[in-house]
Amino acid sequence: MSHRPPVNASPLTSILWQAQQELLPPRQFYRLCQQVRQQSGQTRLYFHVPDSAFIDLNNGIGVREIRRFLDHLAGYVGGTVQEGDRTTFYLKRVRLRLQHKTQTKLLIKNAGDSCLPPLFAQAMKIEVEIAGAGMIGRVARLRINGKDFAFKAFFDPDFVWQHGPWAEIPIGIRLKYCQVTKDVPEFLFSGLDWAVWEWIYPYTHPQSRKQGITYQQFAQTEGLTKLNPLNRNNYNPHNIRLDPGGIQKAYWGRRFQDFFRSLLFYARKVRREGWKSLTPYLKPDKLRYLGVRLVSMLISGGSPRAVSSIMTLADRIDEEHKCKTP
């Protein structure tokens, strides 16, 4: 473990240090961030420095510029409806002389907006593909110079619970610091309503990941919850978890508390946005998942063996239904 941060360290450094030393509960992380924002007057906070793959000095894209772009991208990803949608963004920092003053501007062009001007012929290119959506966020794959990253934009950044920025950012910081990377993606960096993670390919196998430990090893020593095996969309074929959200300290009755908090979340969402807001969650596969999860909690308390049996039974019922359907 590292030593305490210097007395004169910035408040953000202090938060990062705390998040490295222990898994901060969402409400505590939220409260610490709000205190820094109020004291400093900053509206944006960022954790960790972007990977070198995100820096393109030839086009003037440094840390500040890429963070500004990802703030912009969070709005685009959060507002995109169709899974599989693709677009390409071109970034370039230029010097403009306006009213006898020289200013530096970050120019962002979407390939779908209009024909690109010659200025963007050599601009930094970031390809974006919408990969999937969850309860409070949407994931996109970013491709930069042939390398992929997972970008998660949060729909409801003020929702303080076990899923969302206030939970997933400290989870990522803690797991990264403790080198828990064998069977979960590595957290890279984030703002307060988006986060960038390592992209896990379908062929990625834990045995090919030389560094780090498994989440199961870490959870046993830290008293953390087991990863939820019910939502199979959250795993690649080699059982590497794609989305580590929802990790927390294990305690009695936690699953039932999570279930009722989910109900409160949906009730608040309907009151704010109307019943149509639930349409994405009423698809057959999601309803099946919610039903199996509820049954597993009622029967077994969510033990892995019982969950596996219930999932096998559900799969068998699905296969029989498909065979009978003309």
Side-chain angles (χ1 to χ4, degrees):
M1 294 297 184
S2 66
H3 298 293
R4 282 187 169 274
V7 176
N8 60 350
S10 72
L12 196 59
T13 301
S14 178
I15 294 176
L16 180 61
W17 181 86
Q18 291 183 63
Q20 290 174 338
Q21 306 308 306
E22 60 177 324
L23 183 61
L24 291 180
R27 293 187 181 278
Q28 183 179 353
F29 184 65
Y30 173 82
R31 186 172 61 253
L32 291 171
C33 290
Q34 294 304 94
Q35 288 174 356
V36 170
R37 294 170 78 178
Q38 291 169 3
Q39 294 170 3
S40 65
Q42 299 180 48
T43 57
R44 307 290 311 175
L45 298 180
Y46 302 99
F47 293 91
H48 287 315
V49 176
D51 185 277
S52 60
F54 286 82
I55 306 303
D56 182 355
L57 297 181
N58 290 332
N59 287 297
I61 309 301
V63 171
R64 181 171 174 266
E65 287 73 25
I66 201 65
R67 284 171 171 169
R68 286 177 56 195
F69 167 71
L70 294 177
D71 288 340
H72 169 82
L73 184 62
Y76 170 82
V77 172
T80 303
V81 176
Q82 289 295 327
E83 184 175 327
D85 278 2
R86 298 184 182 185
T87 191
T88 301
F89 288 92
Y90 295 87
L91 282 63
K92 197 172 188 69
R93 190 179 69 177
V94 298
R95 286 182 171 274
L96 300 176
R97 188 166 180 80
L98 302 172
Q99 297 180 350
H100 308 293
K101 293 183 180 179
T102 301
Q103 297 181 357
T104 301
K105 296 286 185 180
L106 173 64
L107 301 183
I108 302 172
K109 277 288 184 181
N110 186 327
D113 290 343
S114 60
C115 295
L116 291 173
L119 177 65
F120 286 87
Q122 301 297 324
M124 181 180 184
K125 183 172 73 172
I126 299 180
E127 299 172 71
V128 178
E129 178 184 1
I130 306 300
M135 185 172 71
I136 49 82
R138 182 172 281 119
V139 178
R141 177 171 62 175
L142 307 187
R143 173 160 289 185
I144 305 174
N145 295 325
K147 188 172 182 180
D148 294 325
F149 302 89
F151 175 82
K152 187 166 189 177
F154 299 100
F155 298 154
D156 193 350
D158 292 326
F159 180 45
V160 185
W161 188 47
Q162 292 307 133
H163 295 274
W166 312 110
E168 296 186 20
I169 292 174
I171 287 170
I173 293 172
R174 176 65 173 156
L175 295 186
K176 180 184 180 75
Y177 180 73
C178 295
Q179 299 182 353
V180 184
T181 56
K182 273 283 187 182
D183 54 357
V184 294
E186 180 183 355
F187 171 83
L188 298 179
F189 60 100
S190 74
L192 284 187
D193 56 1
W194 54 264
V196 178
W197 299 73
E198 170 194 14
W199 180 265
I200 300 295
Y201 296 96
Y203 56 78
T204 306
H205 197 286
Q207 294 178 359
S208 66
R209 298 166 75 82
K210 305 300 182 183
Q211 304 296 325
I213 61 174
T214 67
Y215 175 74
Q216 182 179 1
Q217 293 173 299
F218 184 68
Q220 288 176 344
T221 59
E222 296 281 315
L224 303 180
T225 55
K226 296 177 181 178
L227 295 177
N228 177 13
L230 286 172
N231 191 351
R232 293 183 175 179
N233 291 330
N234 263 351
Y235 295 86
N236 85 337
H238 297 287
N239 215 34
I240 290 186
R241 177 81 172 193
L242 304 178
D243 177 7
I247 291 172
Q248 57 185 299
K249 286 285 186 179
Y251 56 86
W252 189 86
R254 178 194 59 81
R255 290 184 179 272
F256 290 99
Q257 288 191 39
D258 286 354
F259 176 73
F260 288 113
R261 284 172 178 163
S262 295
L263 292 180
L264 290 174
F265 167 76
Y266 287 121
R268 192 184 83 168
K269 189 174 182 67
V270 168
R271 187 168 60 249
R272 186 178 65 237
E273 303 174 23
W275 287 99
K276 288 185 178 180
S277 64
L278 296 185
T279 301
Y281 313 117
L282 298 179
K283 296 179 181 178
D285 59 332
K286 293 190 180 292
L287 292 175
R288 171 182 174 273
Y289 163 71
L290 292 173
V292 171
R293 184 183 183 191
L294 178 59
V295 171
S296 72
M297 287 192 298
L298 293 175
I299 293 178
S300 65
S303 70
R305 181 175 297 179
V307 166
S308 178
S309 301
I310 293 169
M311 288 298 293
T312 301
L313 177 60
D315 289 340
R316 189 178 304 162
I317 293 172
D318 273 359
E319 288 300 321
E320 291 177 358
H321 176 72
K322 290 177 182 177
C323 291
K324 293 178 181 179
T325 301

